[in-house]
Amino acid sequence: MKDDRAWMQLAIREARKGLGRTSPNPCVGAVVVKNNRLIATGFHAKAGTPHAEVHALRAAGAKARGATIYVTLEPCNHTGRTPPCTQAILASGIKRVVVGMLDPNPLVAGGGCKTLAAQGVEVTQGVLAEECRSLNRPFSKHITTGLPWVIMKAGISLDGRLALASGQCSWITNEQSRRQVHRLRDRVDAILIGSETALCDDPALTTRLVGRRGRDPLRVVLDTGLRLPVSARMLQQPSSAPTWIFCGPEADMKRAEALIDAGAVIKQVRLDEAGQLDLGAVLCELGRAQLTSVLVEGGSRVHTAFLRAKLVDEVQIFVAPIFLGSDGVPLVDTLGLQQVADAPRFSTTRVHRFGNDVLIEGLIGR
């Protein structure tokens, strides 16, 4: 129905208010409507706090009786850190529930809708389902696999170069693109870079938003031999987020102790057949810590390793209108391809201009 789609769009806008704040829970929005008039709205703000449906129903009060509630995600039917939302809906006297997407959580998996229907509530499913799913790809992956959603982010020249090979640190993309990167950081649980990028750029890896501070995600450095100095900006500048350094089993523990004293958390993981950190083990460790999304910011070796291991879920590539030629470092090195059909391919979900830069977003196919 046309009205159902319009009200679900409003619920999606409510859900977006929780982006970057609800992990490991999903972002959910809810809207209570009666006689085609808006009664109340709500969204899930943080894990452990009331869900979107509860906020909306509390705001609606007695007006919820006989009304319709639009929810971007199927109401839960189990007790976690909060009571089941199905019980709150039934107690409110809601007559109809319109659901965007079913909950991929095995503890729910359609049970919420079935419970409501069994109690005589009219249930409509799948309204703007794809739009609702796009809100919670990290949650869906984590709840079903235990692994975080991996976003490969880079700023490149038109000929696919990240920086000059000389090691000179300078921006390729413009200020508008860089502001967008900070908005992206504000919505993910972790940022990941390799030791080469950490040593060359010495980044703070914090979130800096115009007009507000933003939320700093966990900083992750892949540093097999623990080369990161204790003087690194990410260890010296104040931040609300810790820094995790993943190293190999043979790393110098005296170096580890110095980094720990500087505030880092050291995580040892096995090496792969190429003698590099096992990225699958890294992602497992992040997933166990209830991190549902990780932004891989490079550099070239790290991007190549993630693509070779088929661990990238999404790409966000900022393309600047310059050429660097063979003087530049490539975004991706050798992938070991035998034919074009084997190449990692993504489906474009959005193309957006930031001044003269172009952002290409897409999902990697499997």
Side-chain angles (χ1 to χ4, degrees), residues 27-199:
C27 297
V28 183
V31 174
V32 178
V33 177
K34 194 170 186 178
N35 298 326
N36 207 34
R37 293 181 61 185
L38 177 64
I39 302 299
T41 64
F43 70 97
H44 183 45
K46 184 180 179 181
T49 65
H51 292 182
E53 301 95 313
V54 173
H55 281 298
L57 291 172
R58 285 177 179 172
K63 293 180 180 179
R65 185 161 299 278
T68 296
I69 187 168
Y70 293 83
V71 190
T72 57
L73 182 72
E74 175 185 12
C76 63
N77 192 40
H78 66 287
T79 299
R81 283 188 277 184
T82 57
C85 289
T86 52
Q87 297 306 309
I89 291 171
L90 291 171
S92 72
I94 284 285
K95 181 177 68 174
R96 180 174 179 243
V97 176
V98 181
V99 173
M101 64 172 284
L102 293 181
D103 195 334
N105 186 343
L107 293 175
V108 184
C113 289
K114 291 177 182 176
T115 295
L116 293 170
Q119 294 297 316
V121 177
E122 181 185 347
V123 178
T124 301
Q125 302 178 22
V127 176
L128 299 184
E130 185 54 38
E131 289 89 336
C132 293
R133 278 192 288 268
S134 68
L135 280 173
N136 286 307
R137 292 189 182 107
F139 167 75
S140 296
K141 181 182 179 184
H142 185 261
I143 201 69
T144 55
T145 69
L147 299 175
W149 181 261
V150 177
I151 305 167
M152 174 180 164
K153 189 281 297 181
I156 62 171
S157 63
L158 281 170
D159 51 346
R161 305 286 168 163
L162 288 167
L164 288 175
S166 64
Q168 178 188 4
C169 295
S170 60
W171 294 107
I172 290 179
T173 54
N174 62 30
E175 185 177 347
Q176 292 164 278
S177 293
R178 296 197 292 275
R179 285 200 296 265
Q180 176 62 18
V181 169
H182 285 281
R183 287 190 285 268
L184 181 57
R185 286 181 178 182
D186 185 53
R187 293 182 174 185
V188 298
D189 294 337
I191 309 174
L192 184 149
I193 62 172
S195 57
E196 293 292 341
T197 299
L199 293 171

Side-chain angles (χ1 to χ4, degrees), residues 23-365:
S23 185
N25 286 0
C27 297
V28 183
V31 174
V32 178
V33 177
K34 194 170 186 178
N35 298 326
N36 207 34
R37 293 181 61 185
L38 177 64
I39 302 299
T41 64
F43 70 97
H44 183 45
K46 184 180 179 181
T49 65
H51 292 182
E53 301 95 313
V54 173
H55 281 298
L57 291 172
R58 285 177 179 172
K63 293 180 180 179
R65 185 161 299 278
T68 296
I69 187 168
Y70 293 83
V71 190
T72 57
L73 182 72
E74 175 185 12
C76 63
N77 192 40
H78 66 287
T79 299
R81 283 188 277 184
T82 57
C85 289
T86 52
Q87 297 306 309
I89 291 171
L90 291 171
S92 72
I94 284 285
K95 181 177 68 174
R96 180 174 179 243
V97 176
V98 181
V99 173
M101 64 172 284
L102 293 181
D103 195 334
N105 186 343
L107 293 175
V108 184
C113 289
K114 291 177 182 176
T115 295
L116 293 170
Q119 294 297 316
V121 177
E122 181 185 347
V123 178
T124 301
Q125 302 178 22
V127 176
L128 299 184
E130 185 54 38
E131 289 89 336
C132 293
R133 278 192 288 268
S134 68
L135 280 173
N136 286 307
R137 292 189 182 107
F139 167 75
S140 296
K141 181 182 179 184
H142 185 261
I143 201 69
T144 55
T145 69
L147 299 175
W149 181 261
V150 177
I151 305 167
M152 174 180 164
K153 189 281 297 181
I156 62 171
S157 63
L158 281 170
D159 51 346
R161 305 286 168 163
L162 288 167
L164 288 175
S166 64
Q168 178 188 4
C169 295
S170 60
W171 294 107
I172 290 179
T173 54
N174 62 30
E175 185 177 347
Q176 292 164 278
S177 293
R178 296 197 292 275
R179 285 200 296 265
Q180 176 62 18
V181 169
H182 285 281
R183 287 190 285 268
L184 181 57
R185 286 181 178 182
D186 185 53
R187 293 182 174 185
V188 298
D189 294 337
I191 309 174
L192 184 149
I193 62 172
S195 57
E196 293 292 341
T197 299
L199 293 171
C200 176
D201 297 346
D202 191 21
L205 296 183
T206 53
T207 299
R208 299 178 294 280
L209 298 176
V210 177
R212 59 191 182 97
R213 184 173 180 276
R215 183 185 61 86
D216 291 339
L218 173 78
R219 283 84 61 85
V220 178
V221 181
L222 304 182
D223 189 6
T224 307
L226 291 180
R227 296 189 296 158
L228 189 74
V230 296
S231 59
R233 289 177 65 204
M234 69 182 73
L235 296 177
Q236 297 300 322
Q237 289 193 355
S239 172
S240 59
T243 297
W244 285 14
I245 303 175
F246 283 86
C247 65
E250 303 300 321
D252 185 345
M253 286 301 101
K254 288 186 178 180
R255 292 279 306 149
E257 291 175 6
L259 290 165
I260 291 170
D261 289 341
V265 176
I266 304 299
K267 300 279 186 178
Q268 283 187 306
V269 294
R270 62 180 179 268
L271 303 181
D272 59 20
E273 294 178 355
Q276 304 300 316
L277 296 180
D278 187 309
L279 297 180
V282 171
L283 292 182
C284 282
E285 189 70 26
L286 296 176
R288 279 193 290 268
Q290 299 297 296
L291 301 169
T292 65
S293 57
V294 55
L295 183 65
V296 177
E297 293 203 0
S300 179
R301 289 176 60 185
V302 171
H303 289 317
T304 301
F306 269 89
L307 285 171
R308 288 189 68 129
K310 299 181 179 180
L311 294 174
V312 177
D313 299 299
E314 178 182 345
V315 293
Q316 297 217 10
I317 306 296
F318 294 83
V319 184
I322 61 171
F323 293 96
L324 294 182
S326 60
D327 303 301
V329 178
L331 168 62
V332 178
D333 210 328
T334 305
L335 292 176
L337 303 175
Q338 299 301 315
Q339 52 188 352
V340 173
D342 297 331
R345 185 178 297 272
F346 67 88
S347 57
T348 304
T349 57
R350 186 172 78 126
V351 177
H352 189 81
R353 285 189 62 176
F354 291 96
N356 288 326
D357 293 351
V358 175
L359 167 62
I360 304 173
E361 298 181 20
L363 303 177
I364 292 284

